[in-house]
Amino acid sequence: MSQQSESLFTSALKTTLPVFLGYIPLGMAFGFLLEGAGYHWIYAPLMSIFIYAGAGQFIAVALLAAGAGLTEFAITTLLINLRHSFYGLSLLEKFSGVGKIKAYLIFALTDETYALLTTTKAPDEGSKGKFYFYITVLDHSYWILGSVLGAVLGSVLDLRLEGMTFVLTALFVVLTIEQYHASRSRFPFMAAMGAGVISLLLFSPDNMLLFSIFIGTLILIAHERFVQNDLEVRNIAEQDPDQEKIP
Amino acid sequence: MMEDPAHFLVVTAVVAVATFATRAIPFVFFNARAPPQILSTIEKNLPPMILLLLVIYCLKDVQWLYAPYGVPEIFTIAAVMGLHLWKRNAMLSIFAGTGLYMLLVQLDVFSIIFG
């Protein structure tokens, strides 16, 4: 490993540390749940490697226990993870020109990785793809590791991990503050508050995130339309009526 | 619970494909053509909105109407915000906040107050 790529890796390692601490207890909870449902521990890493979606995997275990049909699995998963489509929308530009690893970056796009990728700048533009890859693959491996630990050890050890997943809440709070300092418009934060509170009140905890992102996006679009109309009206009003329009 | 490896593998494959589909949709859709203007302006405003929504999402299971009324969560978030606005050190804010929260819930500090 060259000097430069090593420091890139170290930098990614530091960036993903909170996700490490969050994914280990969460992954363990999943592994523990799957093992408790009567499945061999090897299935935990199998799901974590190929599915790699927190809420999606928890619900899959619940559906397995309920003996659901394949259609139910497909539809439930699509709805639970539909929010990821919104993540991709804001990464189209960031992911262009990252090279061959793009498919993997898309495959492994979780809430936490999205939060890191949209808030952390690569040390230099040329190594952007490599840096994103390190962050993504590190997060993915923490999740796999956590689920193995949970399935193998979870039933044996009595760990005082209660409250540790709050590390992800704290991570999101810090990243939101950083976004607040970095972005010029305050409107996205107001849209989030509105959409978040509405969704907490109206929807079940499981559905709340998807609906809040959907409502928030509608608010953003309405606001954008309104601002643009407003600008057009002002531009027309400011034009000198006697002057001929330049085509 | 019976264990049927074949069924498990099929289920895992279905869930994996469905998950990947949700992540790939925007890239497949806007690979050949540029996204419409309205989307590219939305694109810039999505990350700040989604990050705050993720914070709210983390509070989805809090029982606001029963003791301790979400006080540990709100208290710790306020502490993280205060610490971060003061020091601007992400690692410090995140780990101090998490340590504080673990103490609060494991020692059940607020149930004594509300007890």
Side-chain angles (χ1 to χ4, degrees):
Chain A
M1 206 185 262
S2 72
Q3 179 88 49
Q4 199 237 355
S5 71
E6 195 174 305
S7 75
L8 254 192
F9 185 78
T10 316
S11 165
L13 205 60
K14 277 186 200 150
T15 308
T16 57
L17 195 56
V19 176
F20 171 79
L21 289 171
Y23 272 10
I24 293 299
L26 264 184
M28 284 180 72
F30 165 73
F32 192 65
L33 185 74
L34 187 69
E35 199 258 355
Y39 288 90
H40 191 273
W41 69 267
I42 196 73
Y43 292 126
L46 199 73
M47 285 178 93
S48 294
I49 291 169
F50 292 107
I51 301 173
Y52 186 33
Q57 282 176 231
F58 277 105
I59 285 159
V61 177
L63 289 178
L64 273 171
L70 288 180
T71 324
E72 273 175 282
F73 277 100
I75 292 172
T76 311
T77 308
L78 280 172
L79 285 176
I80 292 289
N81 292 329
L82 199 56
R83 65 181 190 284
H84 291 132
S85 302
F86 289 87
Y87 299 170
L89 269 187
S90 65
L91 289 170
L92 289 169
E93 209 175 304
K94 255 187 180 333
F95 277 9
S96 65
V98 293
K100 274 180 250 167
I101 44 114
K102 189 173 169 182
Y104 175 70
L105 294 185
I106 295 170
F107 163 77
L109 189 61
T110 59
D111 298 328
E112 289 74 15
T113 303
Y114 172 80
L116 292 182
L117 293 185
T118 50
T119 329
T120 321
K121 264 209 162 74
D124 68 291
E125 192 60 19
S127 53
K128 189 177 76 170
K130 216 172 193 178
F131 186 63
Y132 288 174
F133 174 73
Y134 285 149
I135 287 182
T136 307
V137 83
L138 281 169
D139 285 355
H140 195 176
S141 53
Y142 303 153
W143 179 251
I144 298 164
L145 180 68
S147 69
V148 175
L149 279 177
V152 176
L153 302 172
S155 50
V156 192
L157 294 175
D158 180 29
L159 293 171
R160 296 279 279 169
L161 291 176
E162 195 195 347
M164 196 175 164
T165 53
F166 194 85
V167 71
L168 294 176
T169 314
L171 173 71
F172 292 140
V173 170
V174 165
L175 294 181
T176 304
I177 295 174
E178 292 301 326
Q179 282 279 356
Y180 190 82
H181 284 297
S183 67
R184 258 181 284 155
S185 170
R186 297 287 168 255
F187 192 77
F189 301 98
M190 297 195 282
M193 285 305 284
V197 172
I198 291 171
S199 307
L200 271 183
L201 292 175
L202 291 185
F203 302 105
S204 76
D206 290 338
N207 294 327
M208 171 270 153
L209 186 56
L210 170 65
F211 280 111
S212 66
I213 290 176
F214 185 68
I215 294 169
T217 307
L218 286 181
I219 296 175
L220 286 181
I221 290 173
H223 177 72
E224 198 62 39
R225 284 267 152 85
F226 181 75
V227 169
Q228 245 160 25
N229 283 342
D230 197 42
L231 268 178
E232 272 166 31
V233 169
R234 252 186 281 170
N235 281 345
I236 292 165
E238 277 167 17
Q239 269 173 3
D240 190 343
D242 293 331
Q243 204 171 18
E244 263 187 73
K245 264 191 195 160
I246 300 152
Chain B
M1 165 56 63
M2 76 261 113
E3 195 184 296
D4 177 5
H7 181 245
F8 189 91
L9 293 180
V10 172
V11 163
T12 301
V14 167
V15 176
V17 168
T19 304
F20 182 63
T22 62
R23 291 170 180 164
I25 283 167
F27 296 95
V28 173
F29 227 76
F30 298 117
N31 193 29
R33 60 204 162 99
Q37 184 61 34
I38 187 83
L39 267 189
S40 52
T41 29
I42 293 300
E43 207 179 305
K44 289 186 198 74
N45 292 321
L46 269 185
M49 184 194 79
I50 289 176
L51 279 172
L52 183 52
L53 282 177
L54 285 171
V55 174
I56 299 172
Y57 173 68
C58 287
L59 303 175
K60 70 183 188 327
D61 293 319
V62 172
Q63 299 289 319
W64 301 102
L65 301 179
Y66 304 97
Y69 308 100
V71 173
E73 287 78 16
I74 297 300
F75 181 79
T76 316
I77 286 177
V80 170
M81 285 176 72
L83 191 58
H84 195 65
L85 290 171
W86 178 33
K87 291 284 185 188
R88 282 304 283 280
N89 181 330
M91 289 297 153
L92 177 71
S93 317
I94 292 166
F95 297 132
T98 308
L100 174 66
Y101 184 79
M102 287 176 77
L103 277 178
L104 291 181
V105 295
Q106 291 196 6
L107 303 177
D108 217 358
V109 173
F110 287 99
S111 82
I112 300 162
I113 298 167
F114 291 114

